[in-house]
Amino acid sequence: DAGITQSPRHKVTETGTPVTLRCHQTENHRYMYWYRQDPGHGLRLIHYSYGVKDTDKGEVSDGYSVSRSKTEDFLLTLESATSSQTSVYFCAIRDARGRGDEQYFGPGTRLTVT
Amino acid sequence: EDQVTQSPEALRLQEGESSSLNCSYTVSGLRGLFWYRQDPGKGPEFLFTLYSAGEEKEKERLKATLTKKESFLHITAPKPEDSATYLCAVTSGTYKYIFGTGTRLKVLA
């Protein structure tokens, strides 16, 4: 358990509304990631962060933005939600202690856009 | 293009019936290959990291092996509680992790 929590755990929202998902970690990890998981696709990277205020895009970043103002919090914002963004969203950290390449995941947020 | 392919997509086993899951990968400069277990409604749970061909890792009834082109997750004498989706991923750097679509394993009592 890498001390990762996500909120909310479930959300239903309407098309066109902004939505913010929160990832919180308690172990001071530098690297944090946001993924989405959809049937028939592997986990796909949306955005990642390599430090406070240091973020970059992943492979499916269109329509999403992120912010990291504190080490422990990584926020994912859907600027104007669309039905194609209905998905399960996972936050992850990379444990850079030791050789440090494995990722640990939060419990996920199930988002439905109607 | 970096790619991970897992097979089979789904597997049903009787309790005690050993088998293997396959993860074939193409990546420029493998830094690590990872196996995860994912239960319904939960986040992936880290199992193993393999770094170089010939490496093996074991945990209870699971054993992961790595060659230059693929990895196997061997399940010996599985139990119903081993039922889950098993994910494979590779990385060539600090941010780029490529995941397969997983193998859904069902172990029948």
Side-chain angles (χ1 to χ4, degrees):
Chain A
D1 185 358
I4 305 168
T5 57
Q6 293 185 232
S7 59
R9 295 292 315 280
H10 302 271
K11 186 169 182 69
V12 179
T13 192
E14 294 185 349
T15 298
T17 60
V19 177
T20 296
L21 310 183
R22 180 185 184 230
C23 177
H24 180 78
Q25 53 121 341
T26 60
E27 297 185 357
N28 206 36
H29 295 288
R30 177 183 176 189
Y31 297 94
M32 298 184 75
Y33 307 79
W34 275 108
Y35 289 90
R36 60 178 290 172
Q37 187 175 43
D38 305 288
H41 295 274
L43 286 155
R44 293 181 290 173
L45 182 66
I46 305 172
H47 282 279
Y48 67 99
S49 170
Y50 46 97
V52 174
K53 297 186 179 179
D54 292 323
T55 65
D56 208 343
K57 298 179 179 180
E59 63 178 306
V60 291
S61 60
D62 286 349
Y64 302 95
S65 62
V66 290
S67 65
R68 192 169 178 201
S69 59
K70 299 184 291 184
T71 299
E72 57 266 35
D73 289 326
F74 192 29
L75 305 181
L76 176 71
T77 297
L78 288 65
E79 294 143 7
S80 177
T82 68
S83 58
S84 65
Q85 293 175 313
T86 292
S87 187
V88 181
Y89 292 85
F90 289 102
C91 173
I93 61 94
R94 173 178 162 241
D95 189 346
R97 297 169 295 191
R99 186 152 180 180
D101 290 315
E102 63 269 16
Q103 294 179 310
Y104 293 87
F105 288 82
T109 294
R110 181 172 295 276
L111 176 68
T112 302
V113 183
T114 61
Chain B
E1 180 183 346
D2 296 346
Q3 191 170 356
V4 173
T5 303
Q6 292 188 246
S7 62
E9 288 187 13
L11 182 62
R12 290 168 68 94
L13 299 173
Q14 292 293 325
E15 184 172 4
E17 180 187 1
S18 301
S19 187
S20 296
L21 313 182
N22 178 263
C23 171
S24 297
Y25 65 90
T26 304
V27 64
S28 51
L30 180 71
R31 182 180 169 108
L33 183 142
F34 312 91
W35 282 98
Y36 292 86
R37 170 192 171 123
Q38 186 173 23
D39 293 301
K42 296 190 176 181
E45 175 189 347
F46 171 71
L47 293 173
F48 304 110
T49 305
L50 300 167
Y51 290 105
S52 57
E55 189 174 1
E56 299 182 351
K57 295 273 180 72
E58 283 190 71
K59 180 180 180 179
E60 296 180 355
R61 295 177 293 282
L62 301 177
K63 179 180 177 181
T65 62
L66 180 65
T67 73
K68 289 187 177 179
K69 294 183 178 180
E70 58 191 349
S71 177
F72 292 93
L73 185 65
H74 307 279
I75 304 176
T76 302
K79 298 181 177 182
E81 53 261 43
D82 294 322
S83 298
T85 295
Y86 291 86
L87 303 175
C88 173
V90 297
T91 186
S92 57
T94 56
Y95 76 90
K96 188 175 182 181
Y97 291 76
I98 308 298
F99 283 81
T101 53
T103 293
R104 295 188 310 278
L105 174 66
K106 178 72 172 177
V107 182
L108 304 172

